[in-house]
Amino acid sequence: MKCPFCGNIEDKVIESRTLSEGEAIRRRRECLSCSQRFTSYERLEERPVVVIKNNGNKEFFKKEKILNGMITATEKRPITVAQIQSIVEEVTEELHRKADREIYSKEIGLMVMNKLQKLDQVAYVRFASVYKQFTDVNEFIKEIKSM
Ligand SMILES: [Zn+2]
């Protein structure tokens, strides 16, 4: 990294520290030419995930949306807010790890559904009825009977 004092590009890292829950790494560096010390920060590039809605419109992914959907689906069910939040975090992380930053809203719905299914069947059906948009009632009944 270019030394801010003399412009030399060779340095050694004398200390690395992870900041704010792994969101950044702070490095203390020492220039090999002039021995001045300076600090660099390394952060993940924040690239937004784009969601393609059923009508073809695009919008940026917001975790509040799936959070709201899940809170509605889990009403009066024995599921804690912490459980809901951990699913939201898992899904958000999976989305951010995808190379392709565009995803259909249906796919996000499926990701949530798969996780919800392991947690609570009733919440799963409620969520599915909204997000899967069953093409007809029979399909919906089939889904419930298969549980
Ligand atoms: Zn220097």
Side-chain angles (χ1 to χ4, degrees), residues 4-5 16 21 23-24 36 41 47-48 59 61 63 65 68 73 76-77 80 95 103-104 111-112 118 125 129 135 137:
F5 302 99
S16 277
E21 295 169 330
E23 276 163 34
Q36 291 271 16
Y41 291 90
R47 282 190 298 156
E59 63 180 24
F61 170 74
K63 48 173 127 173
K65 277 210 160 176
N68 287 338
K76 291 178 185 153
R77 299 301 303 163
T80 64
L95 290 176
I103 187 159
Y104 287 93
M111 287 164 75
V112 175
K118 290 175 201 141
V125 174
S129 66
T135 44
V137 181

Side-chain angles (χ1 to χ4, degrees), residues 3-8 10 31-36 38:
C3 169
F5 302 99
C6 73
N8 180 53
E10 279 168 294
C31 174
L32 292 183
S33 173
C34 72
S35 298
Q36 291 271 16
F38 55 99

Side-chain angles (χ1 to χ4, degrees), residues 41-52:
Y41 291 90
E42 188 178 304
R43 287 173 204 283
L44 270 183
E45 192 182 359
E46 284 270 329
R47 282 190 298 156
V49 173
V50 175
V51 179
I52 305 162

